[in-house]
Amino acid sequence: MPQKKTKRRSAPSTLKTKIPSYLFVKKSGIHRKGVFAKRDIPEGTRVIEYVGEKITKAESERRAEKAAQRAEKKGTKARVYLFDLNKRYDVDGDVSYNAARYINHSCDPNCESDTIGGHIWIIAIRKIRKGEEISYNYGWGVEDYKDYPCRCGSPECVGYMVAEDDWPKL
């Protein structure tokens, strides 16, 4: 009987799989793992590209639902690494070669995301000091916000991982 072929989610041979030399991943006080600066990073720097598998919005919804179902069975929270690319596509960053997936949310972030030429970049919005954890505001809406508590620890923390524009709604 022929074996079912499974999709491999490893790095394409043309894609570098290591984290940039000026960053490192380690245990984070915010959530499990985080990305940290090995040296000072100037404001405006493209810190790291958020990479992964380019998928349709429909596939993105399917994967998010599947992750939610798995988490519900286990009694845990779903972990998804889906990032909006454009109106038709998302990037599923749940791949071994995407160190940017370890960047945590903060209500007082030092970076923001921006899509430039079909690539998702995490960009420094202020100078980042050596040893500082890289963070950005995930920009999530207020739907189900209570399911996503924030642990950033900043004095500006609103308690949930929501976009700053939605803070007044909390």
Side-chain angles (χ1 to χ4, degrees):
M1 179 175 230
Q3 286 188 328
K4 181 180 175 184
K5 288 186 178 184
T6 58
K7 273 190 174 180
R8 294 185 60 192
R9 296 183 77 187
S10 59
S13 60
T14 58
L15 188 59
K16 292 184 180 181
T17 61
K18 66 180 188 176
I19 190 166
S21 63
Y22 52 87
L23 299 175
F24 64 102
V25 175
K26 73 171 190 171
K27 186 176 179 180
S28 168
I30 297 174
H31 184 74
R32 293 188 180 124
K33 292 181 181 180
V35 177
F36 294 81
K38 282 186 183 177
R39 62 168 172 78
D40 288 352
I41 300 172
E43 179 180 347
T45 300
R46 290 183 187 180
V47 176
I48 189 170
E49 184 180 359
Y50 192 95
V51 295
E53 185 181 358
K54 184 178 173 181
I55 59 174
T56 64
K57 295 288 185 184
E59 177 62 12
S60 184
E61 288 291 324
R62 189 191 71 73
R63 289 183 187 186
E65 181 59 33
K66 189 174 179 182
Q69 289 171 354
R70 277 194 311 265
E72 190 174 335
K73 283 182 184 178
K74 292 180 182 179
T76 61
K77 299 245 186 235
R79 290 190 299 178
V80 294
Y81 301 93
L82 301 167
F83 212 113
D84 188 55
L85 181 61
N86 57 37
K87 290 180 181 178
R88 293 183 59 195
Y89 296 101
D90 288 340
V91 170
D92 185 350
D94 190 16
V95 292
S96 63
Y97 54 93
N98 182 27
R101 74 180 187 253
Y102 296 120
I103 297 175
N104 287 307
H105 165 89
S106 176
C107 297
D108 185 23
N110 51 27
C111 291
E112 65 185 5
S113 64
D114 195 7
T115 303
I116 303 168
H119 297 267
I120 300 166
W121 287 98
I122 307 303
I123 302 170
I125 56 174
R126 62 169 175 76
K127 180 180 179 179
I128 300 169
R129 304 252 179 233
K130 178 181 178 179
E132 188 176 350
E133 183 168 1
I134 308 301
S135 63
Y136 63 93
N137 185 316
Y138 289 0
W140 292 348
V142 294
E143 310 81 33
D144 304 316
Y145 74 93
K146 289 184 180 180
D147 291 338
Y148 303 100
C150 180
R151 297 179 184 93
C152 73
S154 102
E156 290 79 21
C157 185
V158 295
Y160 299 96
M161 293 189 275
V162 298
E164 192 171 349
D165 291 345
D166 288 330
W167 288 1
K169 298 175 187 174
L170 298 178

